Amino acid sequence: VDDNKISEIPKSIIRLTRCLTWLSIERNPIRFFPGELANMEVLEIINASPVGLDADMKHAFNSGFETFIAYLKTWSTVNSTARLNLSWNANSAWDPILEMPVQCWRFKDTLTHIFLNDNNIHTLPQNIAVMHVLRELHLQNNGLVCLPYVMCQMTNLDVLDLADNSDLHDPPYDLVIEMRLRGIMKYLRAMHMAPMLKSLVLQEFELNYFKPNDILQTTVNELSILRKKAEFSRSDGNARNPGEVQRINRRLALFDIEA
C-alpha cells in the first residue's frame, strides 16, 4: 500500500495475525503505529517512511525491527490495563526517552498510571493537563528542571513521584521532597494564578531558592516590549497610546516588576 494517503493503520489489522509477514506502507502520512502490530504472529518486515512519525515512534522505528516491536508491545495493553510502563533500565530494548511520548495523548481518556522513571526527560508539555483521568505519574530520576504550572488542574492526580530530579528548580526540589504532592500542587496553583491576581502568595513554603519558569518571564518580557511601543512619543512629546501604557503598567504591577 505504498504511495497512498493512508494516515492511520486500523486496529483490525490484527485479523491478519497469522498470515501477514510483510507490511510496506512507505510514503504515506503515517504518524504512529497501533500496538496491535506487536501481536502479529508472523510479521517479519515493516517498510515505512519514518519522516512523519511522532518523535517517540520514529526513534523506536529507526532502532530496528525488534526494538520497534518491543516498543509497540508496551502500548498494546494500554486499553485493557490503563497503564503505561516505559521506565528505562539496562535491559530495555530502546534508549532512554527524551520527552513524554506523543502517544500518551491518544490515550488521554484511558491512562490512569504512567511510569517514565529513569529516562532523560527534562521538561513536560503544557498540554499534559488534558490527561484528566491520570492518577499516578512516575518521573523519578529524569533530570527534570521545571513543571508546567497548568498541572495544578490535574485534580485526579494522587501520586506525582519526582524523586532524584535534583536539578528541579520550579518548583524547588526541596519543596518537592518535603511537601510532596500537596505542596507541589499548592505551589503550581499559586504560580498559575499569578498573572491574574494582584499578588503572589507563597507562604509556609520555607523557600531557599526561587526561580520562576520561562512562561512567567516571557509574559513580563512581552509586556515590557508592548509598553515601549505604546510610549513611543508623538511630535508633541506625549505617549502615542497613554491608555495602553496604563493598562500594561497595571499588569506589570501584578508581578511587582519594573519594566
Side-chain angles (χ1 to χ4, degrees), residues 172 175 183 186-191 199-207 210 212:
L175 179 153
K186 185 178 179 182
Y187 175 93
L188 295 177
R189 195 174 300 113
M191 297 303 295
S199 62
L200 174 60
V201 180
L202 292 174
Q203 295 175 334
E204 301 175 4
F205 282 105
E206 299 181 0
L207 299 181
F210 177 62

Side-chain angles (χ1 to χ4, degrees), residues 67-236:
T67 297
F68 186 53
I69 292 300
Y71 186 73
L72 289 180
K73 196 176 289 280
T74 64
W75 293 95
S76 64
T77 59
V78 169
N79 278 323
S80 59
T81 65
R83 292 170 174 259
L84 172 67
N85 189 348
L86 287 175
S87 300
W88 191 86
N89 60 61
N91 296 320
S92 298
W94 53 86
D95 293 331
I97 296 170
L98 303 179
E99 59 187 32
M100 195 164 178
V102 177
Q103 281 273 82
C104 289
W105 281 266
R106 295 195 173 92
F107 296 95
K108 65 181 179 64
D109 297 323
T110 303
L111 279 168
T112 60
H113 296 67
I114 296 179
F115 300 84
L116 291 170
N117 37 294
D118 301 296
N119 281 288
N120 198 19
I121 300 171
H122 292 174
T123 59
L124 300 177
Q126 290 294 318
N127 61 344
I128 191 173
V130 303
M131 306 194 71
H132 55 89
V133 300
L134 191 63
R135 291 169 48 199
E136 294 189 15
L137 179 57
H138 297 263
L139 291 161
Q140 308 95 295
N141 191 28
N142 261 285
L144 284 167
V145 295
C146 65
L147 299 179
Y149 299 150
V150 73
M151 285 185 70
C152 68
Q153 298 176 357
M154 301 175 71
T155 55
N156 286 321
L157 202 60
D158 296 323
V159 175
L160 178 58
D161 196 336
L162 301 172
D164 300 318
N165 284 283
S166 56
D167 290 334
L168 191 63
H169 60 71
D170 190 18
Y173 185 61
D174 289 345
L175 179 153
V176 168
I177 297 302
E178 293 175 13
M179 302 188 69
R180 300 185 179 276
L181 182 63
R182 180 176 173 274
I184 294 170
M185 285 304 185
K186 185 178 179 182
Y187 175 93
L188 295 177
R189 195 174 300 113
M191 297 303 295
H192 183 60
M193 294 295 292
M196 294 175 281
L197 301 176
K198 293 184 178 180
S199 62
L200 174 60
V201 180
L202 292 174
Q203 295 175 334
E204 301 175 4
F205 282 105
E206 299 181 0
L207 299 181
N208 296 317
Y209 180 63
F210 177 62
K211 182 180 177 183
N213 71 29
D214 292 341
I215 298 174
L216 199 59
Q217 189 59 50
T218 298
T219 301
V220 173
N221 291 342
E222 290 177 351
L223 286 173
S224 300
I225 292 170
L226 289 173
R227 190 175 81 167
K228 288 179 180 178
K229 290 181 179 179
E231 285 180 332
F232 188 81
S233 298
R234 300 183 308 191
S235 57
D236 59 4

Side-chain angles (χ1 to χ4, degrees), residues 44-63:
E44 297 178 351
I45 298 174
I46 299 177
N47 286 338
S49 303
V51 176
L53 291 176
D54 292 336
D56 58 310
M57 280 283 168
K58 183 178 180 180
H59 178 72
F61 184 84
N62 287 336
S63 298

